[in-house]
Each structure stands twice: as structure tokens, then as C-alpha cells.
Amino acid sequence: MNGMSATTALGSSSDVLFLMLGAVMVFAMHAGFAFLEVGTVRRKNQVNAFVKILTDWSVSTVVYFLIGFPIAYGISFLKPVKQILGDNQGYDITHYFFLLCFAACIPAIISGGIAERAKFWPQVIAGAIFAGITYPVFESLIWGQSSAGLQAFFKQVGGAEFHDYAGSVVVHSIGGWLALPAVIILGPRMGRYLKGKSHPIPISNIPFLALGSWILAIGWFGFNVMSAGHLEKISGIVAVNSLMAMVGGVLAALIAGKNDPGFVHNGALAGLIAVCAGSDLMHPLCAFVTGAIASVIFVYGFHIEQEKLKIDDVLGVWPLHGVIGSWGGIAAGIFGQEALGGMGGVSLASQTLGSLAAIVFALCNGFLIYGILSKTVGIRLEQEDEFRGADLSIHSIGAYPEEHIR
């Protein structure tokens, strides 16, 4: 092996390792999704939360491998291993692993909104459609093989392409706005609203909720930093901006949420969701402000959703991922400007258009898929099964089995 080929091989190997480490960090975030949901739902639905997240992950892995990644990037792995490895140490298939972790976030996000009253298999089917088709189509339009046309439109209208470095819009907004139709079609949990009055259902386990938030926050640095894709493109500003947005979200939630631990721990996630799009552009102080605003949006948005609109979104995934994901796209167009210390090259008009396009795309897909499932196989548990809890009704075992021994 000559010097040039050795250098090339080392570069390819470094990129593969870089992406693999990022993939493992984002994969670990799915444990965070699970514990966040388990801590929020009642004890009779904790097993269901764990099984849903793991099943959705597994199904997403298969459908994104066979259908989703080829849709998004035009690369299929239905060929001999020698061809898969190619001359870059299997970079493409490692890239699939990394981006699968993004795709699998979609059903994981939705899971928190529909918790405690959704049937198991219809949601698995919906998650498979979203991870295998819906999400990859939008991913292709923004990041992938079909991006040239839509990005050219954004540039022509707004003066710059739509910028979403790590998925505020492509991942989180899509997931949150897909969840809204599901929550609306399902309707509220039994006893949540009676005679027009709200009866909040207490969460089960604050330590589990906090653990979920911490796992997600730590993994998020793989989510954002490793979105560079190549070791040579890594940016320290992405890491620090992610950190600043996170703590901005925590501190704002501490004040706006009046020291409520649920808001504080979700405030960290609000900041991280919002900064994804512009984490490579903003000044750290602007990232802090972006995260703080996102957290305030969540605190008041959750109240409006639950108490004014009477939408029983158990984990508040619509305001947290949907609305704040949209804010993140727009925030990149504001705080990414050179006048505010950013890198520049972004347009508020393009960022707003791209964020709105995601909302329309997700809502249309969400109402279509869940509408069809609702009219055919049904998506809600029977009243008796919901009353018993999804753990016993679906899985025939509770989170604490010894309590059911007679």
C-alpha cells in the first residue's frame, strides 16, 4: 500500500469511526425517549412504553434499510458485501446506521403523545410507514437526493437555501406535527376531561423522567456534532451551542415553569431541539437565547394545549417537538445572521418557508395515515383495556409483576 492509499484508507476509517460513535450516541437517546415516557405515564402503562420504543426501533431499522435510506439518498444495500464496503470502508452503510437513529426518532416522538390508550400493532404499522416512507421523502427533499429542486426554490424566493444542520425541522418538527393528528383522532384518556373541566393525571416517576432527560441530553451531542458526517468537518461551535441552548432551556423553564421538575427537565430538551437547525451558525449567546425562548414556548404551549385546546398529548410532544422544532428552523434564520454574530448565509424567509412546508407535509401525512388506520383496524384500546392499563391488556404483565401474584 503506497502512502496515498494509506492516507485515504485512514481518512475513510476515521470517518466511519466518527459516524459510528455518533450513531451509538443517538441510539442511546432512544433509551432516553423510553425513560421519559415511562416516568410520565402511570404505572399501569410503563411496560408498554418500554416495549413500544424498542419495537418501533427494530421495525424502523428494517424499513429504513430496505426502503427509507434508498428513498432519501438513492443508495441500496441489496448487493454483495464487497460492493457495500466499496473503497471507503463501508462509509455509506455506517451513514445509514447514523441516519436510521434520526428516522427512528419519529415513532419514538409520537409514542409519547399517544401513550396510555393506543393499540399496539396499529401504531407499529404507522411507525413503519413514517420511518420507511413519510420521513425519508421529506429527508430526501431537504438533505438527500431530491433536494436540488426544493432548495433551488427556497433560494430563488428567500435568497438562500433552507438550512437545517441537525434536524430541528426535518426530524423534530416532522415528528411532533405527525403526532398531533394521532392525538386528536385518538381523543383524550378516560377521565382527563369531564364535563368540560380538566382533570390532570399525575405522572408516575420523576426520577425516571429525569433519567430520560439526562440520557437524551448527553446523546444529543452525538445528534448535533456528528451531523458533520466527516471528521474533518467537525465543529466545536456546534457542541458549545448545543450546551448553551440546553442550559438556556433549563433556566428559562425553571422560572417560567415555577420550579416544576417536569418543565425543568423538558426545558433542557426544548433548548436542544431548537438549536439543532442553526447549531453550526449561531454565536453561543444566541444559542442560549434560542433555547430559552424554546423553553418558554413549551411551558406556555403545553398549558394552552392541555387546558385551553383540551388536547391530551401525554408528553406534550406537539409543543415540544412540533412547535419548537419549527421555532428552531426560524431561529436559524434570525440568529444565524452575521449582524447577530452568526456565520451568515441564511435567510429568514427561506427558514420560515421550509418550516411551514414541514408542518403542512406532516399534518397531511398524519391525518391520512391515522385516519385510515382509525377507520379500518382502529387505533384506540377498548375502554376496559384502557382502564386495566396497556401493560396487562397488551403484554399480560405489569411493571412490578410480584404485585399481581395472588
Side-chain angles (χ1 to χ4, degrees), residues 86-108:
D87 57 2
N88 59 6
Q89 312 291 87
Y91 178 86
D92 288 338
I93 200 163
T94 311
H95 198 207
Y96 147 78
F97 181 15
F98 180 71
L99 292 174
L100 157 69
C101 299
F102 285 46
C105 287
I106 303 300

Side-chain angles (χ1 to χ4, degrees), residues 98-363:
F98 180 71
L99 292 174
L100 157 69
C101 299
F102 285 46
C105 287
I106 303 300
I109 290 168
I110 296 169
S111 176
I114 63 174
E116 301 202 306
R117 76 275 202 204
K119 288 184 176 179
F120 184 79
W121 287 110
Q123 176 52 28
V124 172
I125 294 169
I129 295 170
F130 294 144
I133 301 174
T134 300
Y135 169 79
V137 167
F138 193 78
E139 180 184 19
S140 175
L141 291 171
I142 303 299
W143 290 339
Q145 64 173 338
S146 304
S147 62
L150 187 58
Q151 290 288 20
F153 169 76
F154 288 138
K155 188 171 185 178
Q156 181 179 6
V157 174
E161 293 185 351
F162 176 72
H163 185 88
D164 190 3
Y165 185 74
S168 289
V169 174
V170 176
V171 180
H172 297 283
S173 177
I174 289 290
W177 287 96
L178 279 172
L180 180 60
V183 173
I184 291 173
I185 293 172
L186 271 173
R189 290 166 290 175
M190 295 169 58
R192 179 64 180 87
Y193 303 104
L194 296 173
K195 296 181 180 180
K197 292 185 178 181
S198 173
H199 296 269
I201 297 174
I203 64 179
S204 63
N205 194 309
I206 291 175
F208 274 0
L209 184 155
L211 176 62
S213 175
W214 273 105
I215 294 172
L216 282 163
I218 293 168
W220 223 292
F221 290 88
F223 198 100
N224 285 3
V225 175
M226 269 68 164
S227 286
H230 297 272
L231 186 60
E232 65 183 20
K233 295 181 180 178
I234 192 170
S235 169
I237 200 69
V238 174
V240 174
N241 280 344
S242 301
L243 175 66
M244 294 296 282
M246 173 193 162
V247 299
V250 169
L251 295 176
L254 188 68
I255 297 168
K258 299 177 181 178
N259 217 343
D260 180 280
F263 283 133
V264 169
H265 286 91
N266 277 289
L269 308 182
L272 287 162
I273 289 166
V275 82
C276 287
S279 57
D280 62 327
L281 300 177
M282 299 179 186
H283 187 280
L285 292 178
C286 289
F288 180 90
V289 172
T290 297
I293 292 172
S295 194
V296 172
I297 290 172
F298 177 67
V299 171
Y300 291 101
F302 185 80
H303 177 76
I304 292 169
E305 178 191 41
Q306 302 283 327
E307 306 302 327
K308 304 296 183 183
L309 301 178
K310 291 184 170 54
I311 296 174
D312 187 19
D313 174 0
V314 181
L315 269 68
V317 298
W318 173 44
L320 182 61
H321 294 273
V323 177
I324 290 173
S326 300
W327 157 243
I330 294 168
I334 299 172
F335 296 115
Q337 302 291 340
E338 288 188 55
L340 293 175
M343 292 289 291
V346 285
S347 157
L348 179 57
S350 296
Q351 294 304 116
T352 303
L353 282 173
S355 300
L356 291 175
I359 294 172
V360 173
F361 180 83
L363 286 177

Side-chain angles (χ1 to χ4, degrees), residues 24 26 40 55-56 75 79 81 89 94 97 127 146 152 302 309 369 399 406:
V24 170
V26 186
T40 304
T55 302
D56 284 337
I75 299 172
K79 52 191 176 185
V81 171
Q89 312 291 87
T94 311
F97 181 15
S146 304
F302 185 80
L309 301 178
I369 300 304
R406 294 290 185 266

